[in-house]
């Protein structure tokens, strides 16, 4: 199984045009490219200029022997999905992000559910409306994903009272969409915040629809993005479940050494993370 790691401006992006060389030297051969921030230049520049920048990133990655395996699409906290105008603006940014993904050479694009009735819709009686709006929204994105031959990877969430948070909730949407361009992203840390969820069972729930992953750990009290083994998850159990379903993609971390570290210590920490992955998969 290949090893991947998050790639953003505060992390490996600090190394500029040598960033992917540093990724490779630390023991990784794939990245999860961050395009979640809609105030970033990829969304504010004219489309042609943004795509040229992304194509250059692809060239740098390939020269270093690294692939951009997955792209994280737009995400805001707190969510801004309440009004039709909010959702239309979000949809426009997401469509742009899908279209830009191909310039990085990536085939996988991560999306969170929209949250039009707060993250506590299980308590306010709006879960069914959340479902309907998500199906409509995701179908519009799926039409674009088919055009670009990019897979939408629908991600489980860490909100305890949100109706589309757990792996089984995400799989309901994936089954409803019933398309090879709409698959799953399993976020391990998001599973860990649910005291009654089991990480191996989460893997089995996604099964063959598991395309990519966001790997990190936590204390069970929040979405802390700790390194594996620094929280409560059973990583050998997780690795065994991946083997059981025949997962052969990228073991992709969504955790990094602190951005406050010096360059040299950041790289030492990243190399240590690669060794942790090796231990998990051994």
């Amino acid at each position: 199984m290949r090893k991947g790691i998050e790639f953003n401006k505060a992390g490996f992006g600090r190394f500029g045009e040598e960033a992917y060389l540093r990724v490779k030297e630390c023991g990784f051969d794939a990245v999860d490219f961050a395009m979640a921030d809609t105030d970033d230049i990829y969304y504010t520049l004219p489309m042609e200029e943004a795509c040229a920048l992304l194509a250059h990133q692809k060239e740098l990655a390939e020269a270093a022997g690294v692939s951009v395996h997955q792209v994280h699409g737009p995400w805001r906290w707190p969510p801004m999905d309440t009004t039709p105008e909010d959702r239309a603006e979000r949809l426009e940014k997401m469509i742009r992000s899908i279209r830009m993904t191909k310039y990085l050479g990536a085939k996988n694009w991560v999306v969170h559910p929209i949250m039009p009735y707060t993250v506590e819709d299980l308590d306010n009686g709006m879960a069914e409306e959340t479902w309907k709006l998500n199906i409509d929204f995701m179908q519009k994105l799926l039409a674009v994903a088919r055009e670009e031959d990019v897979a939408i990877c629908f991600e489980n969430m860490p909100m305890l009272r949100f109706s589309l948070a757990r792996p089984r909730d995400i799989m309901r949407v994936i089954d409803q969409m019933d398309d090879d361009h709409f698959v799953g992203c399993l976020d391990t840390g998001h599973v860990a915040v649910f005291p009654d969820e089991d990480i191996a069972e989460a893997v089995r729930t996604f099964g063959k629809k598991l395309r990519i992953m966001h790997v990190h750990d936590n204390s069970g009290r929040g979405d802390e993005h700790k390194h594996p083994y620094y929280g409560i998850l059973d990583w050998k159990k997780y690795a065994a479940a991946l083997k059981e379903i025949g997962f052969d993609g990228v073991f992709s971390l969504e955790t990094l050494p602190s951005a406050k570290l010096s360059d040299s210590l950041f790289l030492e920490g990243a190399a240590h993370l690669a060794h942790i992955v090796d231990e998990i998969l051994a």
Side-chain angles (χ1 to χ4, degrees):
M1 196 180 302
R2 296 167 61 206
K3 292 180 289 187
I5 195 165
E6 183 178 359
F7 188 95
N8 59 39
K9 290 185 292 185
F12 281 100
R14 70 168 77 183
F15 298 104
E17 301 233 327
E18 295 186 346
Y20 298 99
L21 291 171
R22 302 291 88 80
V23 168
K24 186 72 170 181
E25 290 167 1
C26 288
F28 299 94
D29 57 9
V31 296
D32 182 332
F33 193 91
M35 280 206 291
D37 181 3
T38 54
D39 292 325
D40 205 341
I41 57 173
Y42 302 118
Y43 298 98
T44 58
L45 285 174
M47 184 70 166
E48 184 176 347
E49 293 180 35
C51 291
L53 290 176
L54 293 167
H56 183 56
Q57 290 290 312
K58 178 177 181 279
E59 291 173 359
L60 292 172
E62 289 179 343
V66 172
S67 67
V68 181
H69 181 256
Q70 55 205 60
V71 171
H72 201 308
W75 167 241
R76 294 168 177 155
W77 184 256
M80 295 172 58
D81 302 329
T82 305
T83 69
E85 292 76 18
D86 288 338
R87 294 191 292 275
E89 189 272 344
R90 184 160 154 78
L91 181 68
E92 183 274 327
K93 292 292 196 302
M94 287 189 172
I95 288 173
R96 177 173 172 131
S97 183
I98 292 172
R99 295 201 188 282
M100 289 191 294
T101 292
K102 67 179 181 180
Y103 289 89
L104 287 162
K107 290 290 188 180
N108 304 302
W109 180 82
V110 184
V111 65
H112 297 173
I114 60 169
M115 303 172 184
Y117 302 108
T118 81
V119 297
E120 297 180 346
D121 66 345
L122 289 173
D123 298 328
N124 62 27
M126 299 304 290
E128 185 61 28
E129 291 304 312
T130 295
W131 167 267
K132 291 176 182 176
L133 284 179
N134 266 276
I135 294 300
D136 179 67
F137 193 93
M138 296 303 158
Q139 284 175 337
K140 291 173 182 174
L141 290 179
L142 180 56
V144 179
R146 289 194 197 104
E147 289 177 19
E148 304 296 349
D149 193 22
V150 171
I152 295 173
C153 303
F154 204 43
E155 181 179 351
N156 60 298
M157 302 305 294
M159 296 85 173
L160 297 177
R161 302 303 301 161
F162 180 57
S163 62
L164 294 179
R166 296 172 182 261
R168 64 174 179 264
D169 304 323
I170 296 302
M171 276 305 303
R172 282 180 61 223
V173 178
I174 292 171
D175 289 341
Q176 177 72 22
M177 303 304 279
D178 191 24
D179 193 290
D180 289 342
H181 289 90
F182 201 94
V183 290
C185 170
L186 175 56
D187 188 300
T188 61
H190 293 177
V191 173
V193 303
F194 288 89
D196 59 338
E197 289 283 351
D198 176 81
I199 190 61
E201 189 57 34
V203 172
R204 297 185 194 103
T205 296
F206 278 99
K208 295 300 182 182
K209 291 294 185 177
L210 179 59
R211 177 68 61 85
I212 66 171
M213 60 181 80
H214 284 165
V215 176
H216 52 106
D217 210 336
N218 61 56
S219 65
R221 295 188 294 271
D223 190 23
E224 299 160 340
H225 287 257
K226 294 178 180 286
H227 298 351
Y229 291 116
Y230 286 70
I232 62 171
L233 285 172
D234 186 328
W235 290 100
K236 287 300 183 182
K237 190 175 181 181
Y238 180 63
L242 291 174
K243 185 175 182 180
E244 179 183 327
I245 68 165
F247 182 82
D248 62 354
V250 175
F251 194 99
S252 190
L253 296 171
E254 198 180 34
T255 182
L256 287 167
S258 172
K260 297 177 182 178
L261 291 171
S262 66
D263 289 354
S264 60
L265 285 178
F266 177 90
L267 293 173
E268 286 182 24
H272 176 64
L273 275 168
H275 295 317
I276 290 175
V277 176
D278 289 338
E279 179 161 309
I280 292 170
L281 298 177

